[in-house]
Amino acid sequence: MTALHPALKNGFTEKFGVQYPIVQTGMGYVSYPKLVAATAEAGGLGILASATMTYDELVNAIATVKKATDKPFAVNLRADAPDAADRIELMGREGIKVASFAQAPKKDLIKRAHDLGMLVVPSIGAKRHAQKVAEWGVDGVIVQGGEGGGHTGSIPTTLLLPQVTDVLKGTDVTVIAAGGFFDGRGLVAALAYGADAIAMGTRFLLTSDSPVAVAVKEVYLKTDVNGTVVSKEVDGVPHRVLATDFVKKLEQRSVVARYPRAIANGLRFQKLSGIPVKDMVREGLAMKKSQGLSWPQVLMAANTPMLLKAAMVDGRPDLGVMASGQVVGVIEDLPSCRELIDRITAQASEILRELEG
């Protein structure tokens, strides 16, 4: 077994209390207890995705992870969720170490998380966002380049990451690189750019510990690097997904047909989740304000939970969308989280020693 290179024990591993500088991102309907616990047990930082959970489901999910591991893990939530403050209080009571946010949380939410002993780590997609959240006192940022899956920007990781590391140089903000990472070479490259760790979504989705149905994983494994598309037809904002026939049909829909379907999907999600309609309306208003969305975009956002659930939970890729990074085209296997993390750290250690001469 390859000895771990000292560079892989760094500020990230010390601050977050994990063995390796590797993060499993919070993917809706994917980053659930089994995957999070497996990542934690393998030495990485697993992030539990709560945006697709009710409050009570989150209570149960945290308890399930804690039964499976005593290692630190994070919980991801939407900063504009109506019950975001309640979720932060729950996380504090449960001793969660890290609060991860899909968007920048407000200053009062950051302060409360800090008061409860948590580290705060939002995801960002622009240099200016890094500057803003650093001023607000966050502890780290996940910097996702355009190659990444799900909601994403247009700037590739190789250009965005050095911009962010430069602007955050000299601060205490930990930089976690995301978008296009899948092996030890990428980890070394991220460290060279000045990042402290890497975060991976699609690579962890395609593990044996992922709860996604085997049939859906097979669709991913058959996809090449040109097999994703950034579409606004899923929820009104840029969303990188697999370019399936279903997504192509979404792209071809008329405006007249688009919004009634989104409303219908929103009502289906409301029935499934039990969230009161007034709370969904309140959440829509919060999204409109925090993300600068138009009302048509807010209506389209009602699509997302049900379209993701159709593929990721129900195992019907023909009826749903599959968020994916472009990295899907270079992934060929389904290792366990432990096998994956061991492989990445061993390869990174070998490369670092070769570079030392």
Side-chain angles (χ1 to χ4, degrees):
M1 184 175 179
T2 304
L4 189 72
H5 191 281
L8 301 184
K9 288 289 187 183
N10 58 14
F12 171 84
T13 57
E14 182 178 353
K15 180 189 279 189
F16 290 81
V18 296
Q19 194 172 356
Y20 304 118
I22 295 174
V23 177
Q24 162 251 304
T25 61
M27 301 166 280
Y29 295 119
V30 178
S31 301
Y32 276 15
K34 181 183 177 184
L35 181 60
V36 174
T39 300
E41 282 293 294
L45 179 68
I47 302 179
L48 185 67
S50 82
T52 49
M53 297 179 190
T54 64
Y55 179 90
D56 289 340
E57 287 172 338
L58 176 58
V59 171
N60 293 331
I62 290 174
T64 301
V65 177
K66 290 175 70 173
K67 285 181 181 177
T69 182
D70 60 358
K71 306 292 194 303
F73 65 96
V75 173
N76 175 264
L77 63 158
R78 280 182 40 195
D80 56 5
D83 62 352
D86 294 333
R87 292 182 184 231
I88 285 291
E89 295 297 325
L90 166 66
M91 291 157 60
R93 291 195 302 272
E94 293 293 335
I96 302 301
K97 186 174 181 64
V98 184
S100 160
F101 291 91
Q103 307 95 22
K106 295 179 181 178
K107 293 180 183 179
D108 58 343
L109 209 55
I110 295 173
K111 182 180 184 304
R112 185 55 184 155
H114 283 162
D115 289 344
L116 293 169
M118 280 178 276
L119 299 169
V120 176
V121 182
S123 295
I124 61 167
K127 180 177 74 171
R128 67 180 184 278
H129 298 157
Q131 292 172 310
K132 179 177 72 174
V133 296
E135 291 171 357
W136 289 358
V138 301
D139 304 283
V141 289
I142 295 177
V143 184
Q144 179 170 307
E147 303 96 321
H151 294 125
T152 196
S154 59
I155 309 300
T157 303
T158 52
L159 299 179
L160 177 61
L161 182 57
Q163 284 187 313
V164 172
T165 55
D166 283 349
V167 79
L168 294 180
K169 191 173 183 178
T171 72
D172 293 327
V173 180
T174 299
V175 177
I176 303 164
F181 296 100
F182 66 101
D183 65 4
R185 294 171 297 180
L187 176 53
V188 173
L191 296 176
Y193 274 119
D196 302 284
I198 58 170
M200 302 181 293
T202 306
R203 177 64 275 195
F204 275 106
L205 185 156
L206 292 172
T207 61
S208 60
D209 295 306
S210 162
V212 175
V214 173
V216 175
K217 290 178 183 177
E218 289 297 330
V219 175
Y220 277 90
L221 290 173
K222 292 176 182 176
T223 303
D224 64 26
V225 291
N226 295 310
T228 67
V229 63
V230 177
S231 174
K232 290 186 177 181
E233 298 307 316
V234 176
D235 58 5
V237 293
H239 201 126
R240 186 178 293 283
V241 297
L242 295 189
T244 61
D245 289 340
F246 181 82
V247 170
K248 292 173 185 176
K249 289 178 182 177
L250 288 181
E251 291 279 324
Q252 294 167 0
R253 284 185 314 182
S254 68
V255 174
V256 174
R258 190 177 300 160
Y259 302 127
R261 183 188 181 101
I263 294 170
N265 273 334
L267 292 173
R268 285 174 62 206
F269 180 66
Q270 187 275 327
K271 184 177 181 181
L272 179 72
S273 65
I275 299 173
V277 173
K278 62 180 177 59
D279 285 351
M280 290 189 69
V281 172
R282 187 153 53 101
E283 186 169 343
L285 289 168
M287 287 174 62
K288 186 177 188 299
K289 181 179 180 180
S290 67
Q291 299 180 42
L293 302 183
S294 64
W295 276 116
Q297 286 176 315
V298 171
L299 287 176
M300 287 293 289
N303 261 330
T304 309
M306 295 311 299
L307 292 181
L308 286 173
K309 179 181 178 295
M312 299 304 176
V313 178
D314 301 337
R316 293 295 304 271
D318 57 320
L319 297 177
V321 298
M322 293 170 280
S324 175
Q326 288 180 298
V327 73
V328 67
V330 294
I331 296 174
E332 300 176 342
D333 60 355
L334 298 171
S336 68
C337 288
R338 185 172 295 281
E339 289 168 341
L340 174 63
I341 290 176
D342 286 349
R343 189 164 73 194
I344 290 173
T345 55
Q347 185 183 30
S349 293
E350 290 174 0
I351 293 171
L352 288 166
R353 289 193 173 88
E354 288 174 2
L355 291 173
E356 290 173 342

